[in-house]
Amino acid sequence: MKKIVGLSLALIMVVGMIGVETFAYFADSETSSGNQLAAGTLDLKTNNVDGVTQTLYATNMSPGATVGPYTIPLRNAGTTDGATLDIGFSYVESDGSPNTVNKTDDAVAALMEVITLDYGGSSLLSSISDINGNGYKDVYDLKNSSLTGLSGIAASATKNFVISVRLRSETGNDFQADGITMTMTFTLKQ
Ligand SMILES: [Ca+2]
Ligand SMILES: [Ca+2]
Ligand SMILES: [Ca+2]
């Protein structure tokens, strides 16, 4: 029997006023306990909490400011080794108010440069292509990349996922109050 266990995390990033201090904190709230456990299971947990949705907030991001690195421990709390891990990224527009000029979610994501993207102590950045051709790896590139078949997590083992993102310093005033909510989904497969 092939069990597949997934977890999602959300990263909310909103561009703030120029010069406003970056405000970032880490919250986690358990919203489901959806993993049905039976003998010989995979059980992926973050921070030892089961079926969790974690949210990382970065509001009032100033141009040039970095959020993170956030370290998210991925623990296989089950009794079966997970052979492979997939990581997926998606985002939706999540603007503040008032928002005089509305930029698209893709435009905002393209200004969020990915500085750190580690899993199990190795950087995944080389697996991300500069799909939009702007010269750096950004959240748009993450969304349109496929990170599948990564090394898995053995039973009772933990691997850390680490991410940090910087708002590009050339971000213009029109981006004020524009933001995205990025969801990172981790799927551990037997
Ligand atoms: Ca917008
Ligand atoms: Ca890019
Ligand atoms: Ca705006």
Side-chain angles (χ1 to χ4, degrees):
M1 183 168 56
K2 219 172 175 84
K3 287 261 182 186
I4 296 179
V5 179
L7 284 173
S8 292
L9 295 99
L11 176 54
I12 299 169
M13 296 177 281
V14 180
V15 181
M17 304 289 287
I18 307 296
V20 173
E21 192 178 340
T22 298
F23 176 59
Y25 63 95
F26 193 118
D28 86 39
S29 57
E30 184 158 13
T31 57
S32 78
S33 54
N35 295 334
Q36 303 295 317
L37 301 185
T41 57
L42 292 169
D43 181 14
L44 186 59
K45 298 186 178 189
T46 61
N47 291 346
N48 290 330
V49 179
D50 198 10
V52 74
T53 297
Q54 293 189 333
T55 305
L56 316 174
Y57 296 95
T59 57
N60 286 332
M61 287 181 75
S62 309
T66 301
V67 293
Y70 295 113
T71 298
I72 299 150
L74 302 172
R75 187 166 82 94
N76 180 357
T79 57
T80 303
D81 292 347
T84 62
L85 182 83
D86 295 350
I87 307 175
F89 302 88
S90 63
Y91 53 75
V92 294
E93 194 164 11
S94 179
D95 295 337
S97 176
N99 186 8
T100 313
V101 180
N102 184 21
K103 294 291 192 177
T104 66
D105 52 355
D106 284 345
V108 172
L111 286 168
M112 303 285 185
E113 182 174 1
V114 181
I115 305 298
T116 310
L117 191 72
D118 291 347
Y119 168 63
S122 299
S123 178
L124 299 173
L125 278 176
S126 61
S127 303
I128 306 295
S129 300
D130 179 16
I131 293 168
N132 54 15
N134 59 5
Y136 53 88
K137 314 286 178 69
D138 52 62
V139 171
Y140 177 91
D141 300 327
L142 278 189
K143 179 188 181 183
N144 292 284
S145 297
S146 175
L147 289 173
T148 58
L150 303 174
S151 65
I153 304 172
S156 301
T158 298
K159 289 185 178 178
N160 285 339
F161 175 80
V162 186
I163 186 168
S164 67
V165 173
R166 180 168 61 213
L167 180 63
R168 295 284 292 185
S169 57
E170 68 270 27
T171 302
N173 285 338
D174 286 350
F175 283 89
Q176 281 183 20
D178 283 288
I180 55 173
T181 297
M182 178 171 69
T183 300
M184 300 173 276
T185 301
F186 303 88
T187 304
L188 185 62
K189 297 177 178 174
Q190 187 174 337

